[in-house]
Amino acid sequence: MAQVWKCSGLRWSAEGPALVWDGGRRSALPWGKRVAFAVPEGGVRTCVGARGHVCPVGAVVPGRSTGARCEECARLDRAHSVAADTIADDPRPYRVYLAWFGPGMVKAGITALERGPARLLEQGAVCFSWLGTGPLMAARRTEELLRAALRVPDRVPYAEKRAVRSALPATEPERAAELRELHARAVALTGWPESLRPEPCQVADHVGAFGLEGAPAASGEVVELVPGGAVRGELVAAAGPDLHLAAGGRGAVVLDTRLMTGWELLHPGPGPAECAFPAREFTREPDGLF
């Protein structure tokens, strides 16, 4: 019987992205690496559990779910989470940041100081700048201030990030311009918590880290994995949880690695570059009336 693997997701470090498998094994993902896997015929996607514990009922979860958790395990996973705003007494210092994903796509967020820029790599932020550092609740209040005063959201849908990634401004100054303008407006606001220390605008650009410069334009994205399906392709870029794969056809296809979790996967054997999972093309807005 062919050996099967279970993916735990994509992780970012100073060395770049890597796929992590159940048991702790890692597969580094340098540009040009061949990525190939298949879902066995008759395969079923099961809940990945919560906080290191297996799902007590082994629930089946939908193929299009990026969380790969049943309702109960999802609730348990978020029961003690900064992201879900269920922790108020974390003593660690936090940073408020502004992240840019493409023209008109800026969000505000917070991350623990000790994590450095890892959170921004995980979200696929093309550019970012720190805004301030302080206690958790001060960081949260600043995030709310930005949302109310400047209408800066705390989330940008991944589908929107992917659709513009292949048409970003060509230079770092162009990509940084919107962040610099928003940073200046943010620090000029009144009502900042006194315990939050403002930080100067220093825009970090991730185009190089993501391998986006010169990479083939992505034409679409995988929407789900299905039994009997497979993908074989060359890794040309990665951003956040997404792998950009040259997998035959026109341009590259984007695979959200969160869709891989919960499945038993196996090697598909030799074959041409292809993506045999359901996918949808990115739609472009027309340039004008004609």
Side-chain angles (χ1 to χ4, degrees), residues 35 62 87 121 148 190 206 224 232 235 264 276 282:
V35 175
I87 297 177
L121 291 165
T190 59
H206 285 155
E224 66 178 320
R232 300 178 184 88
L235 181 68
E264 289 189 336
F282 294 135

Side-chain angles (χ1 to χ4, degrees), residues 8-58:
S8 300
L10 188 69
R11 301 290 183 270
W12 283 88
S13 69
E15 289 72 43
L19 282 173
V20 181
W21 307 93
D22 281 10
R25 179 173 174 260
R26 288 179 174 246
S27 299
L29 294 170
W31 312 135
K33 183 181 178 70
R34 187 172 189 265
V35 175
F37 65 87
V39 176
E41 291 283 0
V44 174
R45 192 184 192 200
T46 55
C47 175
V48 296
R51 300 194 170 276
H53 301 285
V54 298
C55 177
V57 297

Side-chain angles (χ1 to χ4, degrees), residues 120-134:
L120 286 306
L121 291 165
E122 292 167 356
Q123 292 185 38
V126 177
C127 301
F128 81 93
S129 177
W130 303 122
L131 192 57
T133 304

Side-chain angles (χ1 to χ4, degrees), residues 160-172:
E160 295 181 17
K161 300 177 190 178
R162 296 177 188 123
V164 302
R165 219 176 265 153
S166 298
L168 297 170
T171 67
E172 288 191 22

Side-chain angles (χ1 to χ4, degrees), residues 125-148:
V126 177
C127 301
F128 81 93
S129 177
W130 303 122
L131 192 57
T133 304
L136 172 59
M137 295 314 294
R140 276 286 185 226
R141 286 196 297 273
T142 304
E143 188 181 32
E144 290 295 331
L145 173 66
L146 298 173
R147 198 176 305 161

